[in-house]
Amino acid sequence: MLYPVVESCLPVEILKAWDRYRLNREVKEDSILTKEKVLENLMCFLRHEVEGGEHRVLAETAFGNGMNRKDTDKPVHKDEPTAAILIANSSAGENNCVFCDRSHPSQECQKISNMNYDGRKEQVMRKRCCLVCLKRGHMAKKCHSNVRCLICERRHYVLLCPDLRKGNSSLPKSKVADEEAKSTEILLTNLSSEYEIYLKTIIVRLRHKGKEVCVRALMEDGSHQSYIKKSLVAELNLSPSGTEVLSQGLFDGGISLAAEHGRFSVTVENLDRKYSTSVSLFDQPKICSTLSRMRDKTLLTKLSSRGIVLTDVGRDTPSIRILLGADVLGSILTGRIEVFTYSLSAV
């Protein structure tokens, strides 16, 4: 069962070499025994490939110091996986974060929010990693990665951008105002003048250390993260569990300036207190534009006939203070969908 999984992870060149090796060493054995040993034979083949590569490196370096090889004879290094890399990367600590040594990509580390640019750069150089892709084994001048910074568009990740902490001081005031307005007013919907389009809005109760508040929430599976308005953070007196630098993709394809957002944990439950869950939210000054509530009595009657009772109804339009994104909707939605004949679905 493991063999096809392992084989599917191998690069094409290694698979071709493995097929040639297997066909050349084909022997007439019991078919069941051969199937049982196929994974063992594959690992043996990869081990021989690694040992052969080590012998070649030894021959080229130890015994070839007196030879002046032409640069054109040297193979161009590319970040293509080989059998040696596959075996070497399986060792402990090889794929760990440069900054905290945990098992996650270095560019996604949340433990460096209080570290300045010089400290981050020094940490990468101390671990002998590339300043472009944050990987071990090569330097920045030999890196073939296509990484681009969202702030300055140079070759590095955002967390290694020297302009990250400088703010907008180098931009004209008019441009700063435009960028702030663009990054703050992240509109998730367009208001239609012909007829109303109802999105997945709901009234939920938030609880934190004895404090409770009922707010309007938007369930938006098009958002990667979940958000909470900063005014609500102050109202519940929430304390951040960490920070993260985020750039938000906008509807027209633009990208907002990278900004630091606090991460907060709060309990979300329905109004009858039959279900509750703890969610992690990023703070945001403004979540979306005005969203209308359901106020069509005919639709409400038809929904009620199917046992569907909405909580977000009425003619007033309070602001959306919580956005529940794709990161938490999987644990909230039940999977039941009721489809009506007049272009309306209840989730």
Side-chain angles (χ1 to χ4, degrees):
M1 294 175 63
L2 288 176
Y3 173 72
V5 178
V6 176
E7 192 179 40
S8 64
C9 297
L10 296 176
V12 177
E13 295 300 326
I14 299 300
L15 285 177
K16 291 180 180 179
W18 163 239
D19 289 336
R20 291 194 296 268
Y21 173 84
R22 185 171 51 181
L23 292 175
N24 292 337
R25 299 178 63 88
E26 191 73 28
V27 293
K28 294 183 179 179
E29 296 179 358
D30 183 35
S31 59
I32 298 179
L33 183 62
T34 304
K35 290 180 180 178
E36 290 178 350
K37 289 190 174 183
V38 65
L39 182 58
E40 180 181 347
N41 293 335
L42 175 58
M43 298 307 296
C44 181
F45 163 76
L46 293 176
R47 191 177 299 110
H48 290 162
E49 287 290 303
V50 174
E51 292 175 354
E54 292 175 349
H55 287 306
R56 287 193 295 271
V57 172
L58 179 63
E60 292 177 359
T61 57
F63 302 105
N65 290 335
M67 302 180 182
N68 294 324
R69 299 173 180 266
K70 295 182 179 180
D71 294 337
T72 56
D73 295 335
K74 296 181 181 179
V76 178
H77 174 74
K78 293 183 179 180
D79 289 337
E80 296 178 354
T82 63
I85 294 177
L86 289 173
I87 297 296
N89 283 349
S90 63
S91 59
E94 198 67 27
N95 292 323
N96 288 353
C97 174
V98 175
F99 304 101
C100 66
D101 290 329
R102 294 186 178 181
S103 180
H104 61 250
S106 301
Q107 63 270 20
E108 298 177 4
C109 184
Q110 301 178 13
K111 301 294 184 181
I112 59 172
S113 58
N114 296 326
M115 188 183 300
N116 57 23
Y117 166 74
D118 294 331
R120 299 177 185 183
K121 184 177 179 180
E122 182 181 354
Q123 178 77 357
V124 175
M125 297 179 66
R126 184 165 55 247
K127 292 292 185 69
R128 297 185 178 182
C129 296
C130 175
L131 289 171
V132 176
C133 65
L134 300 178
K135 294 180 180 179
R136 295 177 172 87
H138 63 273
M139 295 292 103
K141 61 181 180 181
K142 295 184 179 180
C143 184
H144 297 274
S145 176
N146 294 324
V147 173
R148 287 290 174 184
C149 177
L150 296 174
I151 300 177
C152 63
E153 297 186 355
R154 294 195 290 267
R155 295 181 67 240
H156 53 245
Y157 284 107
V158 174
L159 57 85
L160 285 181
C161 182
D163 301 331
L164 180 60
R165 297 290 182 178
K166 293 180 180 179
N168 300 326
S169 57
S170 60
L171 298 177
K173 292 184 178 180
S174 59
K175 189 173 182 180
V176 171
D178 293 340
E179 292 292 344
E180 288 180 350
K182 188 177 181 181
S183 62
T184 302
E185 299 178 5
I186 302 175
L187 304 183
L188 302 178
T189 179
N190 293 325
L191 300 180
S192 172
S193 59
E194 297 180 2
Y195 52 87
E196 289 184 320
I197 298 177
Y198 299 109
L199 300 184
K200 295 191 290 290
T201 59
I202 189 174
I203 301 295
V204 297
R205 178 183 283 107
L206 300 184
R207 287 192 296 105
H208 179 72
K209 293 183 178 181
K211 291 187 177 182
E212 293 186 358
V213 60
C214 295
V215 299
R216 290 186 75 195
L218 171 65
M219 295 187 289
E220 177 54 62
D221 49 12
S223 174
H224 289 79
Q225 306 288 349
S226 298
Y227 294 90
I228 181 174
K229 287 190 70 172
K230 285 189 174 182
S231 59
L232 187 54
V233 170
E235 184 176 338
L236 292 174
N237 196 22
L238 300 177
S239 299
S241 59
T243 58
E244 188 168 336
V245 178
L246 298 176
S247 292
Q248 296 162 332
L250 307 179
F251 174 74
D252 60 354
I255 298 178
S256 66
L257 292 175
E260 194 172 76
H261 297 260
R263 182 190 292 270
F264 301 87
S265 295
V266 66
T267 300
V268 178
E269 62 182 18
N270 55 358
L271 297 182
D272 58 10
R273 303 180 187 274
K274 291 183 178 180
Y275 175 80
S276 65
T277 182
S278 179
V279 298
S280 180
L281 309 167
F282 289 105
D283 62 352
Q284 179 72 20
K286 184 175 182 180
I287 292 180
C288 67
S289 61
T290 303
L291 295 182
S292 60
R293 289 173 151 183
M294 173 74 76
R295 54 177 178 263
D296 190 321
K297 294 184 178 180
T298 303
L299 291 180
L300 290 173
T301 302
K302 291 183 178 180
L303 289 169
S304 180
S305 65
R306 298 200 188 184
I308 301 172
V309 179
L310 301 185
T311 57
D312 191 32
V313 296
R315 294 192 172 275
D316 56 337
T317 55
S319 62
I320 299 293
R321 308 185 74 183
I322 292 286
L323 185 146
L324 300 174
D327 56 333
V328 300
L329 284 182
S331 61
I332 295 178
L333 298 179
T334 64
R336 177 190 173 194
I337 300 178
E338 293 284 343
V339 180
F340 296 84
T341 56
Y342 34 85
S343 301
L344 184 70
S345 298
V347 179

